[in-house]
Amino acid sequence: MLSRLADVLVPTVGRLTVTTDAGAELAPGSILAANHTSLADPAIVLAALHRLGARPVVMATAGLWRVPVLGRALAHEGHVPVHRRGRRAADALDGAAEALERGHLVLIYAEGGLPHRTDVAESAPGNFRSGLSRLAHRTGAPIIPVGQAGARRITSGSVTKQIAGLFTAPLRRPEVHVHVGKPLELTGDGPALTERARTAVTTAWRTAAARLGEPAALAA
């Protein structure tokens, strides 16, 4: 339901385009690693993947499960809540591993949170946390890099700016782009794989941001 809903809603707030690398394949049981820049980008990535025939399970902050209606839908569809602290923090990897074993694609945001910035410009992904490499080594699942750009044009910055962005987005309909790269081979130890994955997601992000003429990507 979330993928279908995103596919309907995203065109009302932005103009989405999607590209893929030659050899990119959304094989069942793969991990999708995407950069995270805005509250809007999960919907954008889901809409893009839906166009490519994929409906992934999403690893998302556990607080969303407390939102009426949305929380029930997330639980019903088997998405994975991420508890960032406490004894339940490891539950997310267990849930993601089970989803991969059942042949689902799993979407993970390895940066672990949003950037603390108020402007709408693009920037390269930040440091990745270890959960991505631990999940990949545990399951043997390939990592598929996903880069998105333009979500910050829809909503970013302070709470006031985010609300204003969402209300004006249907009139502005800014361009957004998602690029899917080729799967990574699972070589190297945890830190090495983490850095390789970040480099691959950065490359995918740069492709997406360059399509939008973003200065950060064009200057790289």
Side-chain angles (χ1 to χ4, degrees):
M1 184 190 77
L2 288 183
S3 293
R4 293 195 299 271
L5 184 61
D7 204 23
V8 171
L9 291 180
V10 168
T12 69
V13 296
R15 291 169 286 162
L16 172 63
T17 50
V18 185
T19 53
T20 62
D21 278 346
E25 180 184 5
L26 298 175
S30 299
I31 302 169
L32 298 161
N35 63 310
H36 198 15
T37 63
S38 163
L39 292 175
D41 65 61
I44 291 168
V45 171
L46 284 177
L49 294 173
H50 193 239
R51 291 188 185 183
L52 298 174
R55 300 177 182 178
V57 166
V58 182
M59 298 180 70
T61 180
L64 295 177
W65 271 252
R66 296 193 294 269
V67 178
V69 181
L70 175 60
R72 186 179 304 174
L74 291 168
H76 177 72
E77 295 186 7
H79 299 286
V80 179
V82 178
H83 299 269
R84 302 197 185 281
R85 298 178 180 84
R87 291 177 297 176
R88 300 186 64 186
D91 292 349
L93 288 186
D94 294 336
E98 292 172 5
L100 291 167
E101 290 170 2
R102 293 196 300 269
H104 292 291
L105 291 160
V106 171
L107 174 62
I108 182 172
Y109 288 97
E111 293 164 274
L114 292 169
H116 299 290
R117 292 173 31 231
T118 58
D119 62 299
V120 301
E122 290 288 326
S123 62
N127 292 330
F128 280 12
R129 298 187 179 184
S130 63
L132 172 60
S133 63
R134 286 188 285 138
L135 180 62
H137 278 304
R138 173 175 170 176
T139 62
I143 298 172
I144 301 173
V146 179
Q148 65 77 28
R152 294 183 65 80
R153 299 177 179 182
I154 295 175
T155 179
S156 59
S158 66
V159 173
T160 301
K161 286 184 176 180
Q162 290 190 52
I163 293 173
L166 284 174
F167 273 104
T168 61
L171 298 176
R172 297 182 290 111
R173 294 189 69 242
E175 290 183 284
V176 293
H177 190 86
V178 174
H179 182 80
V180 179
K182 295 185 294 185
L184 296 178
E185 295 181 4
L186 301 185
T187 58
D189 60 12
L193 180 57
T194 297
E195 189 55 33
R196 286 182 60 233
R198 179 177 177 271
T199 298
V201 173
T202 300
T203 299
W205 160 80
R206 185 171 292 118
T207 299
R211 287 288 295 258
L212 302 184
E214 283 285 343
L218 297 176

